Amino acid sequence: REDLDVYKYLNDINISCEDWKELAIIAKEINIDLCVMPNDMQSLEFAEQEINPKYYVVSPACFAEDDMLEALAKIGKKTFFRIGGSYLAEIESAIQIFRKFNNNQIVLLHGFQNYPTNIEETDLSLLKTLKDVFDVEVGLADHIDGESPLAKVIPILSLPYGATYIEKHITLDRNKKSEDFESALNPKDFNEFVKNIRASEIAIGSSSFKELSNA
């Protein structure tokens, strides 16, 4: 990949509009909610008209494009703001545009955009700060080395800090070193990861006192 011209590379891995339509049909058949990231107005219009995803993602590069943010806000769907690499003022401005159109369905997706992410750059504590400051949902975009045992542990630690969503890359075979494989899990590891997340949610439980159980 690194030896190719970036635009040629992106064109080579791009899938057609017809492929996207077929993907949307398959996702619906197997009960998977689609979350897509349009990068311009044309792709946003296509996604909304032809795919109709449940969620949208907006990259920090789009935080400076008011027309794009306004169009997303007007659609009214839950939108994930990828905030890695953005300044506090940029995040605040993007949120204000959404709220101007009475859309508070916002998730701030915190994550260091470097593959793989070093442990010291993960900063899980920031999740609570984002949640308290902006009063929105927060999530973790995790990019820890998929080969590391911590790849199935560190994201779980985001749950007590208020994360309600976790982005995790998956690949059919890490050995093929396809796009974003650095932080991706193989299917078997991904399945184990999801089970651990669900068990952790149960273990975290409630912060309020309860009646004593028989146990």
Side-chain angles (χ1 to χ4, degrees):
R1 296 176 300 166
E2 285 71 14
D3 296 330
L4 292 173
D5 175 87
V6 64
Y7 294 106
K8 181 181 184 306
Y9 171 67
L10 291 175
N11 186 63
D12 288 345
I13 67 171
N14 196 27
I15 64 176
S16 69
C17 292
E18 293 306 313
D19 290 335
W20 271 108
K21 293 178 185 178
E22 183 179 356
L23 175 65
I25 293 172
I26 294 173
K28 186 175 181 179
E29 289 174 349
I30 60 178
N31 199 30
I32 289 180
D33 294 327
L34 277 183
C35 178
V36 305
M37 185 173 73
N39 289 315
D40 53 36
M41 292 297 291
Q42 183 179 7
S43 56
L44 174 59
E45 291 170 2
F46 169 80
E48 187 61 16
Q49 294 171 8
E50 303 292 344
I51 300 177
N52 190 28
K54 185 171 183 177
Y55 308 108
Y56 281 110
V57 183
V58 59
S59 73
C62 291
F63 288 1
E65 300 181 24
D66 289 0
D67 57 339
M68 182 77 169
L69 291 174
E70 289 179 4
L72 278 165
K74 290 176 182 177
I75 289 173
K77 294 179 179 178
K78 180 171 286 189
T79 302
F80 296 80
F81 288 16
R82 299 181 65 98
I83 63 172
S86 57
Y87 290 105
L88 184 62
E90 293 174 320
I91 300 170
E92 183 176 15
S93 177
I95 290 176
Q96 286 177 346
I97 289 176
F98 261 59
R99 287 177 171 165
K100 182 174 72 173
F101 293 96
N102 299 315
N103 185 344
N104 202 42
Q105 295 191 75
I106 299 167
V107 181
L108 296 183
L109 204 58
H110 164 56
F112 194 82
Q113 301 303 303
N114 187 27
Y115 300 0
T117 300
N118 295 326
I119 298 300
E120 61 270 21
E121 293 169 322
T122 303
D123 289 332
L124 295 178
S125 295
L126 186 60
L127 288 164
K128 185 177 186 305
T129 301
L130 291 167
K131 186 176 179 66
D132 292 343
V133 170
F134 293 109
D135 191 26
V136 295
E137 286 187 278
V138 295
L140 177 68
D142 173 66
H143 300 113
I144 292 174
D145 188 348
E147 286 290 342
S148 170
L150 294 175
K152 293 184 284 186
V153 176
I154 297 297
I156 291 175
L157 298 178
S158 70
L159 299 178
Y161 288 101
T164 48
Y165 293 91
I166 296 176
E167 173 194 319
K168 194 71 172 177
H169 290 249
I170 184 172
T171 184
L172 295 180
D173 185 354
R174 280 181 52 83
N175 293 325
K176 291 184 177 180
K177 297 185 177 181
S178 56
E179 186 68 21
D180 293 349
F181 84 95
E182 297 91 342
S183 58
L185 297 178
N186 285 322
K188 180 181 178 181
D189 291 324
F190 185 79
N191 184 49
E192 179 184 343
F193 171 72
V194 172
K195 289 180 179 177
N196 289 343
I197 288 288
R198 296 294 173 240
S200 299
E201 289 172 329
I202 295 171
I204 289 171
S206 171
S207 60
S208 59
F209 282 97
K210 302 176 183 177
E211 291 293 324
L212 295 181
S213 67
N214 292 331

